[in-house]
């Protein structure tokens, strides 16, 4: 069986930096409250005329440049997002078209697993590659959270930002690197605590839903916080036990960037020093499906990751969805 190996990474974040001061000037909050509760100091906001697919396209271009291959070598694209350009068609289709990728060779689809979207998409792409049906896949996590976050909700708007990251996943005969294992879960009982109330088939858009601000992300912060801490730590510990790993064996924990305190709790449970945890939440906030590939791309570009490094990638998000993945880094 072929191995599925990440062979290139890329990312894109918009230029517009929104500091905590921006919120201090607009609502009853402080830089100190935001920093101590979340670890976030700034995030990026995409311009009005930039959609999720546009950020995804830029991240993929950055990724393909690293590997130096032509876009037409790609067999399929999986786009993880909860802020698709449209309810339908899939954002993967729009990315394919905007990149000018060869039709009819390429196929693809979107995955909706909120903040776990990137690892759900990566696991799906891994299985498709391991099956031997495809050789090269793009997995892109992209979210324009400013499209669905209520700018008047001080407990939510301070957390989220816009951004995208992408990886190239390739079939390889080298079985010393690549994606080794994953544990993924869904728990739909999480619905009441994190969701968007209107705009779906349960409550189609109407004047009333707009007037009542029901097209924004609704979040019960404390409940989500507790569920995230437990779920990310449990999934991480499961995948480590299954693969006989201790904290000493792990070069990097790559956690979804939701809240610095959630990240620290996960690292503690793994008995991992914080300097072996990828953390950039202070600069970008929570970009949902974008957080993990943006981290991977930044760390790779800064030369901090070595070929063969053991990594645990962990996420938690709306659904609830959560999981962890064990991989060995395959970029030289
Ligand atoms: N500035 C100042 N005060 C704020 C505030 C803000 N930006 N946002 C909320 N508050 C207030 C609340 O109104 C509340 O006031 P009250 O006690 O008078 O009612 C108080 O702060 C405490 O609120 P609480 O919700 O208990 O705060 P918290 O410590 O749980 O922090 C979150 C709130 C949202 C930062 C935190 O719960 C969190 O990060 N949750 C996880 C969210 C997440 O990860 N979502 C994505 C899932 S992947």
């Amino acid at each position: 069986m072929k191995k599925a190996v990440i062979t290139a990474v890329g990312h894109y974040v918009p230029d517009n930096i929104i500091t905590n001061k921006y919120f201090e000037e607009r609502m009853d909050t402080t830089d100190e409250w935001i920093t101590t509760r979340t670890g976030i100091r700034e995030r990026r906001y995409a311009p009005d005329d930039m959609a999720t697919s546009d950020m995804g396209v830029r991240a993929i271009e950055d990724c393909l440049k690293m590997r130096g291959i032509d876009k037409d070598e790609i067999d399929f694209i999986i786009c993880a997002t909860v802020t698709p350009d449209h309810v339908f068609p899939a954002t993967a289709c729009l990315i394919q078209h905007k990149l000018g990728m060869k039709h009819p060779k390429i196929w693809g689809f979107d995955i909706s697993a909120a903040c776990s979207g990137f690892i759900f998409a990566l696991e799906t792409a891994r299985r498709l590659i391991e099956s031997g049906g495809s050789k090269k896949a793009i997995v892109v996590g992209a979210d324009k959270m400013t499209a669905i976050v209520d700018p008047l909700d001080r407990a939510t708007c301070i957390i989220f930002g816009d951004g995208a990251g992408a990886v190239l996943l390739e079939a390889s005969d080298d079985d010393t690197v690549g994606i080794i294992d994953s544990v993924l879960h869904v728990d739909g009982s999480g619905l009441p605590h994190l969701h968007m109330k209107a705009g779906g088939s349960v409550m189609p858009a109407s004047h009333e839903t707009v007037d009542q601000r029901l097209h924004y992300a609704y979040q019960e912060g404390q409940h989500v916080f507790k569920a995230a801490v437990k779920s990310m730590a449990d999934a991480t510990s499961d995948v480590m036990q299954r693969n006989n790993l201790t904290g000493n064996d792990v070069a990097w924990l790559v956690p979804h960037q939701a809240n610095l305190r959630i990240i620290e709790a996960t690292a503690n449970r793994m008995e991992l020093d914080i300097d072996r945890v990828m953390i950039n939440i202070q600069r970008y906030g929570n970009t949902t499906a974008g957080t993990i590939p943006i981290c991977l791309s930044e760390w790779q570009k800064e030369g901090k990751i070595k070929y063969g490094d053991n990594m645990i990638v962990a996420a938690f998000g709306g659904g609830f969805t959560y999981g962890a993945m064990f991989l060995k880094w395959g970029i030289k």
Side-chain angles (χ1 to χ4, degrees):
M1 194 169 74
K2 296 278 184 190
K3 227 38 201 173
V5 183
I6 293 175
T7 54
V9 284
H11 73 282
Y12 171 79
V13 287
D15 296 333
N16 188 15
I17 298 173
I18 304 295
T19 61
N20 291 344
K21 190 163 183 287
Y22 171 95
F23 297 104
E24 280 184 336
E25 286 164 357
R26 285 165 176 79
M27 56 183 58
D28 183 14
T29 192
T30 60
D31 173 44
E32 202 263 336
W33 192 97
I34 299 170
T35 309
T36 52
R37 301 283 176 128
T38 69
I40 301 166
R41 295 184 183 278
E42 54 190 49
R43 65 293 286 147
R44 304 295 179 100
Y45 279 7
D48 289 346
D49 61 356
M50 181 180 283
T52 294
S53 64
D54 298 311
M55 293 192 293
V57 161
R58 285 168 168 79
I60 294 169
E61 284 171 339
D62 188 38
C63 176
L64 291 178
K65 200 168 68 190
M66 174 179 289
R67 181 75 172 85
I69 61 165
D70 189 77
K71 58 188 184 328
D72 289 329
E73 289 188 42
I74 304 302
D75 298 308
F76 66 93
I77 302 175
I78 307 181
C79 177
T81 188
V82 283
T83 51
D85 289 21
H86 302 272
V87 172
F88 74 92
T91 302
C93 305
L94 308 175
I95 289 175
Q96 170 269 330
H97 184 64
K98 287 181 180 179
L99 276 169
M101 286 165 143
K102 202 183 279 170
H103 160 258
K105 185 198 173 202
I106 192 162
W107 69 293
F109 53 93
D110 287 4
I111 278 186
S112 172
C115 297
S116 309
F118 181 75
I119 61 170
F120 278 38
L122 193 56
E123 173 67 4
T124 307
R126 167 206 173 190
R127 297 293 182 179
L128 289 167
I129 283 183
E130 285 179 349
S131 73
S134 300
K135 290 193 175 64
K136 290 184 172 60
I138 286 287
V139 178
V140 56
D143 271 300
K144 185 178 182 181
M145 292 306 291
T146 49
I148 62 164
V149 165
D150 186 343
L152 302 181
D153 177 356
R154 67 177 181 166
T156 307
C157 67
I158 51 131
I159 296 175
F160 291 100
D162 302 332
V167 301
L168 174 65
L169 201 62
E170 289 191 67
S172 167
D173 293 319
D174 178 357
D175 63 3
T176 61
V177 291
I179 300 172
I180 315 281
D181 193 16
S182 71
V183 289
L184 303 178
H185 305 283
V186 297
D187 175 9
S189 71
L191 169 79
H193 313 293
L194 186 57
H195 64 286
M196 189 192 290
K197 294 190 185 300
S201 59
V202 162
M203 197 189 291
S206 66
H207 287 293
E208 289 73 27
T209 61
V210 173
D211 290 345
Q212 291 168 31
R213 307 181 81 77
L214 300 181
H215 294 270
Y216 290 122
Y218 170 81
Q219 168 176 280
E220 290 166 4
Q222 278 206 14
H223 188 103
V224 174
F225 185 93
K226 286 179 196 149
V229 167
K230 179 168 179 355
S231 307
M232 267 176 58
D234 284 351
T236 303
S237 151
D238 280 358
V239 87
M240 286 174 68
Q241 268 177 24
R242 269 162 54 151
N243 293 279
N244 299 315
L245 298 169
T246 67
N248 289 334
D249 303 312
V250 177
W252 291 104
L253 167 65
V254 194
H256 167 55
Q257 314 280 308
N259 183 311
L260 185 58
R261 291 182 293 144
I262 298 175
I263 296 172
E264 287 168 347
T266 309
N268 277 341
R269 174 90 167 260
M270 291 170 69
E271 299 181 353
L272 198 68
D273 284 349
I274 206 72
D275 58 4
R276 282 192 282 147
V277 183
M278 293 189 191
I279 300 173
N280 61 13
I281 190 172
Q282 65 280 10
R283 286 181 284 125
Y284 303 131
N286 181 349
T287 56
T288 302
T291 62
I292 290 169
I294 293 172
C295 275
L296 292 174
S297 175
E298 286 199 333
W299 262 250
Q300 174 63 30
K301 288 187 169 94
E302 287 164 20
K304 295 183 195 161
I305 320 177
K306 291 197 308 292
Y307 180 81
D309 271 355
N310 285 339
M311 284 187 193
I312 298 289
V313 185
F316 173 88
F320 293 137
T321 56
Y322 63 102
M325 185 175 259
F326 168 39
L327 61 87
K328 285 175 179 284
W329 197 242
I331 305 180
K332 285 197 170 125

